Amino acid sequence: MTTQQGGRVSQEPADGSIVVCPDGPLLVRGDFEIVTPSGEAVPRQRQTVALCRCGASAIKPYCDGTHKLIKFRTEPAGPADPGA
């Protein structure tokens, strides 16, 4: 949200944010709830959590850093094969 005070424009922090880390997790900040497909709440103890994108974390849905060990990449390694 943007507000104007005394001729100055200031940016107020959003209620939450998601940061996409290259070759890594999603950093989610703010007040939110994580639920399983069946609707059960997943416990969390922090306002900022790292969610796994590589699928190899031992503590899913949270990131445990395994993406570094398996060399997870978010970008394709090379040009797409048009004949595939």
Side-chain angles (χ1 to χ4, degrees), residues 13-61:
D15 289 341
S17 65
I18 299 174
V19 178
V20 180
C21 296
D23 303 330
L26 297 174
L27 296 180
V28 186
R29 295 182 177 100
D31 187 22
F32 59 91
E33 184 176 35
I34 300 172
V35 296
T36 65
S38 63
E40 295 177 55
V42 175
R44 71 180 177 102
Q45 298 165 344
R46 300 175 181 212
Q47 281 291 104
T48 300
V49 297
L51 298 178
C52 176
R53 285 200 298 165
C54 75
S57 173
I59 58 170
K60 288 182 205 114

